[in-house]
Structure formats: structure tokens, C-alpha cells
Amino acid sequence: MLSTKRLWSALLWLTLSPCAFAISTQQIKTLATDPVWLALGHYRPDTFGGTYTSQADDVGFFISPQGKHSPRAELIATLIAIQQPGGGDSNARCRFPARDRWLRSKLELPANPVACTAYQSWRQDLNTESVTLVFAASYLNSPSSMFGHTFLRLDPPSDDQDTNLLLASTISYAADAAAHDSELLFAYRGIFGGYPGITSIQPYYEKIRQYSDIENRDLWEYRLNLTPDEVDWMLAHAWEIHDINFDYYFFDENCAYRLLALIDVARPGTNLLDKVTTHAIPSDTVRWVVDKGLVSNVHYRPSAFTRVRYALDELPPHDRDLAGAIADGYVAVEAPDVTDLAPQRRAHLLDATYDYVRYQADAEGWPRDYAAPLSHALLAARSQIDDSSPPPSPPTPAIRDDQGHDTMRIGLTGGREAGRSYAQLTVRPAYHDELDPPGGYRPGAQLQFLRLDARYYTDNDSLDLQQLTAVNIRSLTPRDSFFTPWSWQVGVGARRTEAADGDHPLAPYLAGGVGGSWLAPGRIQAISLLTADVEVDNDLTKGYDVAPGLDLGLLHQSSTLSLMGGIRSKLWLAGGEHREDELYLNGSLHLSQALSLTADFNRTSYYDRIGNQWQIGFNVYF
């Protein structure tokens, strides 16, 4: 913090310098606490007191040595710096064009012209007329993408969009992680702030290649209704923070958070960052942008997998089987089973098969010497069919990702277990499970962080921590004759377990599983997983226990009702072999996107003891 003596010295310079102007301490105080100045400096209020700290963690972002912790010191240093003559691109006016522009709108500063060649060239290369917020759907196979990802696309003038949209630049913020870091280390360091975050600019086609074509993530494009002047503000500040380090955190200061800061600068008064409390889930942040009236239209861009999957599903059953046989080499493209089809039907068959073969060649690594000749034969046969409609495009989902249920959930249930009645409170900050309203989320996907289940037992007036879930992930993607993904699950936390003496200690656990799932009639998904559990606690016979197991279940998800039931069996090995068998049935009736009624029943056989548990209650999403 500047001392009183140094502050007065700076103000005296501002007043007496030949290129300066008169400014009062009151003006300094007012400007230093203006929301726009605080947004430009990424200042957030400290937990205690009326002080501020910038979230920027790079000394290159500050002119004053005290700038990180003093908006006033940074303001005075900036006022002095932007009045220095000459210097070209090294001048503070060129380094901080948004700051310079804002201060000149508030104060009658001398013109002090300077040639900002690098900045002007950068702006010209971007060729931006409007801005689009892009949301890439969640991708469970990567810790950094489990919640989805957002970035900004800088759209060229409308006359150029048809040809240049894919070449448009994007602004994104991501962790600057070492290439050799494992997924586990990446997740750990991302949660606890072990990486710097960098704002970078890339062509849009590279993003499509990464998200849509490789990771099979649908893209939602939200055109922002920013005015030309607001677009200028955003780009000026983007220049100020590009290549500037901000500590990266998965849950709050992440990709979505930094984009909210840019929008707050572009349109003062939106105060999007004020919506962030404990976490900033990308789909939530898109929802906030929409709710603020910042979006003029929305466009859906399906992934390569979605397009191929839809084209195959649209074929009649016979033709779908035929497409698989052609792709696998059992039926030739010129075989009578193909050529005897009506032209329109044959065209759709050839289109869908070609798209599938190309997808498998790119995504699954089919050998080029097999995929290339087959692709050529399919194209040659397709070129012989005239006047046929193009392959069908996937319809836009009825519910967008930002229109799904809110990610914060609180549940209240009452139930009975082993003759004891209880009330249970469940708090889950993020994100979604299989029994939540499914609209806007990936079917069969579950991702829960920091879930807490606490029970109050009425018989002895006690409050127990029933379970603490650090992370629980489940990905159930159906297999069929075309696609054979693995289904898998992993969970880490602490839970009540049953010891041999009947006690129920709270034991840390690690659980996982892998297997397959298949779609059955009636929108039912059949699940078969081989599982493995590890529990650690002093109350266990050896202080730990391990169990291989099997989970067989059925899952039904719809906008009104979600049901899951099945059997689980585990064989605990370390403390003397003993089986744990469980029959379970869980359901959720969705009254709205914000409220569901829930009911659960479990029957467990463990240590030759059989017990029933049931509970009923509701979940609220906000």
C-alpha cells in the first residue's frame, strides 16, 4: 500500500508535471474503487476489511509494485505511465489500451499520441465484428473437461462469415500444464491451484478439431449481442491479459470464470463474476450469460460422433445391418444387396457407411490400407446416384446444456434402516447423477464432487456423517454393432461400512469398475460391470479390506421419471472371506428442473445379517 507521503508525491507530480493535469485525492479514491477499474485490474474484495487483491498472478500485469493489492497504487502508476511521451509499443497506452481508454473517458488527459503498431496489427488480424460464446459439452475421459469448456469466438464481418467463420480466432483460458503430467496429477494440481492459467488465441477450426472431431463433444454457439463499442472494450482488455498468468482452479477460477470477467469489462454492470460463489461450472456460467439477456441467438454444432450415430440410427434395421456388413468387409459395395435398393435408400446407406468408415479411421485408427479403398468405393458408388437428398442432420436437442437443472443440489429424506428411523440431509455442490433430471446432460453420465450425506437418528438423538464423496464418476455409453465403448466408474471418499462386530466405522474408500452397457427396448439401459473396492479403517480386521465384485443393473432415464435397479455382489478378502450382496431400487420423479421426489430401497446380506433400508424425500436444484 502506498504511504501517505508517497501518495502525495505522486499527486504532486500529476499536478505539476508539464504534461499533467490537476487531480484531487477524492477523484483518485472514486476512480480506484469504480467497478470498471476493479474489473480491468481483476480485483476482488478481500474476505475481511475493505481491501482488494487482484487475481492476476503475473508481475507483468502491474505497473506499480503494490499493484496486486492496491487498486489506488495501480491507478496512480497507470495515470503517470500513460502520460509519458513516445516509446511506441512499449508505451503504457499500447500495453494497456482498455485502461487508457477508460481513464481518458473519465479525465481530461492530454492527447499524447503514440503509435501502437503491435496492438493495431493484432486487432486487424482478428477482424472482429461480433463475439460468440461457445460451450463444448462435458467429456468424462479428461479431468479438465468433465464439466464442459467455454471459449469465445471472434466473428468476422457478416459478409465474410460464410467463408471465414472456421478461420475466425478464439479466446480461451486454460491451465498451462506440463505435457508429461498424468491425468491424476493434472486433476490434483488443477483442484489446488498448481498450474498457471493462460489466455490464448487459436483458430476456430482447431477447436472444432479438438472438441468435435477428436473428443466427440457437441458445441453450442451463443452469439452475444454486444455493440461494436463493447466488442472494442473486450478486445482491448483481451490484449491486456493475453499471456498473463492467473492461477488456475478447476472449480472457480477456471476457463468459464475468466470469460465472465471479459464480458463484465465489455458491458459494465452485468456483474457476472458476482454470481460465482464456491464454483463456476461452465454450463452454469452460460446460463448466467443467457439470463442477463446477453445472447441474441444460439446455434447447435453436433460432433462427428453425433452426426455418424444419427445417420446410422435413421437407416431402416435391414440397411443398418447392411452398413455394418459393408464397413466390416463382409458385403461388397457393388453387391446385389446394395445395388437392388431404391436410389434414395441406397444413397442414404452409402452416405452413412462412408461417414462411419471415415470416423473409425480418424477416431479408432482403422488401417489406412483398409479404410481408404473402402471409402473410395463408397464415394464412387454414391456419385452414380443423382437427385437424392443429402444425409439427414441431427436435430437440435430439445434442451440445451444451459437449460438443464442447476448443478447445486440439496436433498432431504426420511427413512429407516435396521429398525432405526432417521432424517438425512444431502448437500452436493456439483454436478449431476443418473437419477437427476436428464435434460441437458449426457445420457448415462454421472459426475459428483464433494457430496456430503449426514443423518440424524431419532432413537438416540445422534447426528452422524454417513458418507463424504470427494469424487464419483460414472460413464455408461451403450455398445452396439458399430460402437463398442467401455462403461466405467470410479469413486473416492469415506463411507459407513460394516465391521465383523456389527460396528459401522466411517472408512476411506476407493472404488472402481469397468464393463459394458446396452440399450434395450423401452428406453432401458442394461449394465454389467466388474468392480473393485478398497476400504481402510482401524476397525477392520486387518485395518483394510479389498473386494472384487459384480454390478448388474437396469437404468431408465426420462424427463418425468428416472429409475435404476439391480444387484451388486462383493467378496471381501482381507479380513476372512465374506460376501456382501445387495438388491437395490432407486427412483426419482421429476416435478420440474428444480424439484424431484426421490425414493430408495436396499436389501443387503452381509456377515450373515440381512437388513432392509428405505427412504423417501426430495431434491432441490439451484
Side-chain angles (χ1 to χ4, degrees):
M1 185 68 67
L2 285 178
S3 66
T4 302
K5 181 178 179 180
R6 294 180 64 190
L7 174 60
W8 278 107
S9 297
L11 290 177
L12 183 63
W13 186 95
L14 289 170
T15 303
L16 299 180
S17 174
C19 60
F21 62 98
I23 184 171
S24 67
T25 55
Q26 183 58 45
Q27 284 178 295
I28 289 288
K29 180 179 179 181
T30 301
L31 292 175
T33 56
D34 189 289
V36 175
W37 178 252
L38 296 176
L40 287 171
H42 295 262
Y43 291 105
R44 303 299 294 170
D46 292 329
T47 304
F48 303 103
T51 57
Y52 295 87
T53 298
S54 175
Q55 292 174 331
D57 299 290
D58 194 319
V59 295
F61 185 67
F62 304 103
I63 299 176
S64 167
Q66 293 81 34
K68 182 173 176 64
H69 300 284
S70 175
R72 179 182 294 191
E74 188 65 15
L75 175 70
I76 293 173
T78 302
L79 282 170
I80 294 172
I82 63 177
Q83 292 188 85
Q84 301 300 319
D89 289 326
S90 63
N91 190 287
R93 295 192 64 185
C94 300
R95 176 65 188 87
F96 298 102
R99 293 190 197 181
D100 178 74
R101 178 179 176 182
W102 182 74
L103 287 171
R104 291 178 185 278
S105 73
K106 294 296 182 180
L107 300 168
E108 295 181 1
L109 298 177
N112 185 28
V114 62
C116 300
T117 307
Y119 173 60
Q120 294 302 329
S121 176
W122 181 78
R123 286 292 305 270
Q124 185 175 359
D125 289 343
L126 293 181
N127 188 29
T128 304
E129 181 181 72
S130 58
V131 177
T132 296
L133 174 65
V134 182
F135 174 80
S138 59
Y139 179 60
L140 294 183
N141 288 333
S142 171
S144 63
S145 303
M146 290 178 179
F147 296 113
H149 182 68
T150 55
F151 57 93
L152 295 175
R153 189 184 69 206
L154 309 178
D155 298 339
S158 55
D159 292 342
D160 299 335
Q161 285 189 6
D162 290 341
T163 56
N164 292 344
L165 190 56
L166 295 181
L167 299 177
S169 297
T170 65
I171 298 177
S172 61
Y173 174 79
D176 186 19
H180 59 273
D181 282 357
S182 67
E183 294 284 9
L184 184 60
L185 179 59
F186 185 81
Y188 173 81
R189 297 183 67 181
I191 291 173
F192 295 103
Y195 292 117
I198 295 295
T199 302
S200 60
I201 295 178
Q202 296 174 276
Y204 188 42
Y205 69 81
E206 290 186 5
K207 293 292 188 181
I208 292 178
R209 174 66 177 167
Q210 175 185 352
Y211 294 130
S212 178
D213 297 344
I214 297 177
E215 297 180 356
N216 301 323
R217 301 165 69 178
D218 295 343
L219 301 179
W220 289 94
E221 302 169 347
Y222 300 80
R223 175 69 62 85
L224 302 181
N225 56 17
L226 300 178
T227 66
D229 191 55
E230 290 169 339
V231 172
D232 286 343
W233 275 108
M234 177 179 286
L235 294 180
H237 188 55
W239 170 263
E240 294 178 344
I241 65 173
H242 81 285
D243 294 334
I244 292 296
N245 291 341
F246 292 78
D247 285 345
Y248 183 93
Y249 297 89
F250 277 169
F251 294 119
D252 46 16
E253 295 182 45
N254 53 25
C255 63
Y257 186 93
R258 288 289 151 232
L259 300 188
L260 295 184
L262 276 175
I263 297 173
D264 276 350
V265 167
R267 182 171 292 179
T270 52
N271 300 325
L272 290 168
L273 287 184
D274 291 344
K275 304 281 289 184
V276 180
T277 53
T278 58
H279 56 280
I281 303 298
S283 59
D284 283 341
T285 62
V286 173
R287 185 180 296 115
W288 300 338
V289 171
V290 172
D291 290 344
K292 287 286 187 177
L294 288 159
V295 175
S296 59
N297 61 70
V298 182
H299 178 256
Y300 171 63
R301 187 183 293 271
S303 68
F305 174 81
T306 299
R307 294 193 301 270
V308 172
R309 176 80 275 172
Y310 182 75
L312 292 170
D313 288 344
E314 285 297 290
L315 296 176
H318 172 271
D319 295 4
R320 193 181 307 123
D321 293 339
L322 190 56
I326 296 172
D328 292 336
Y330 299 125
V331 174
V333 174
E334 64 276 7
D337 285 347
V338 179
T339 58
D340 288 348
L341 296 176
Q344 181 69 69
R345 186 174 167 184
R346 186 166 75 255
H348 284 175
L349 168 66
L350 295 171
D351 285 333
T353 309
Y354 173 80
D355 289 343
Y356 172 69
V357 171
R358 296 314 307 160
Y359 173 83
Q360 292 293 71
D362 291 338
E364 301 299 331
W366 277 17
R368 177 177 175 81
D369 57 1
Y370 176 80
L374 179 55
S375 298
H376 181 270
L378 289 164
L379 285 177
R382 179 64 177 85
S383 67
Q384 302 301 313
I385 306 173
D386 298 324
D387 301 325
S388 60
S389 61
S393 298
T396 301
I399 300 177
R400 303 192 306 260
D401 291 60
D402 65 284
Q403 294 174 323
H405 67 78
D406 288 342
T407 54
M408 181 77 174
R409 190 186 81 183
I410 290 182
L412 184 61
T413 57
R416 192 168 177 83
E417 179 183 24
R420 305 177 67 193
S421 298
Y422 64 84
Q424 178 167 301
L425 173 67
T426 299
V427 179
R428 188 198 66 195
Y431 162 68
H432 174 76
D433 71 32
E434 298 150 320
L435 298 181
D436 288 334
Y441 293 85
R442 309 282 78 74
Q446 174 171 289
L447 175 57
Q448 300 190 90
F449 270 91
L450 304 180
R451 171 175 165 169
L452 182 148
D453 296 80
R455 284 185 182 178
Y456 170 74
Y457 286 96
T458 59
D459 60 341
N460 62 354
D461 198 31
S462 64
L463 180 63
D464 293 341
L465 176 59
Q466 184 68 18
Q467 182 163 325
L468 177 62
T469 303
V471 59
N472 179 272
I473 308 170
R474 204 177 200 205
S475 177
L476 305 175
T477 305
R479 301 165 67 93
D480 59 21
S481 57
F482 292 97
F483 302 99
T484 55
W486 292 104
S487 293
W488 57 274
Q489 63 187 28
V490 63
V492 180
R495 64 192 178 193
R496 293 289 170 185
T497 190
E498 186 169 357
D501 59 4
D503 195 13
H504 292 80
L506 185 68
Y509 74 91
L510 170 64
V514 64
S517 64
W518 299 263
L519 285 179
R523 302 179 67 178
I524 295 175
Q525 191 169 348
I527 306 159
S528 177
L529 299 175
L530 295 175
T531 64
D533 287 51
V534 178
E535 292 183 343
V536 181
D537 192 89
N538 290 334
D539 289 329
L540 300 176
T541 303
K542 291 188 176 182
Y544 70 94
D545 214 337
V546 296
L550 179 66
D551 188 347
L552 302 175
L554 298 174
L555 172 66
H556 168 78
Q557 294 178 302
S558 74
S559 59
T560 56
L561 180 67
S562 296
L563 291 171
M564 183 167 56
I567 56 173
R568 300 187 183 102
S569 183
K570 303 174 185 177
L571 181 61
W572 294 97
L573 300 175
E577 292 188 7
H578 52 281
R579 279 180 51 185
E580 178 183 359
D581 298 319
E582 179 185 8
L583 172 69
Y584 63 94
L585 178 62
N586 310 317
S588 184
L589 178 64
H590 312 308
L591 302 182
S592 68
Q593 292 282 53
L595 179 64
S596 293
L597 300 181
T598 66
D600 304 284
F601 174 78
N602 298 70
R603 182 175 177 85
T604 305
S605 173
Y606 196 28
Y607 285 114
D608 297 323
R609 296 187 288 267
I610 297 178
N612 296 328
Q613 174 190 334
W614 61 264
Q615 63 183 31
I616 187 169
F618 60 89
N619 289 326
V620 180
Y621 306 85
F622 59 95

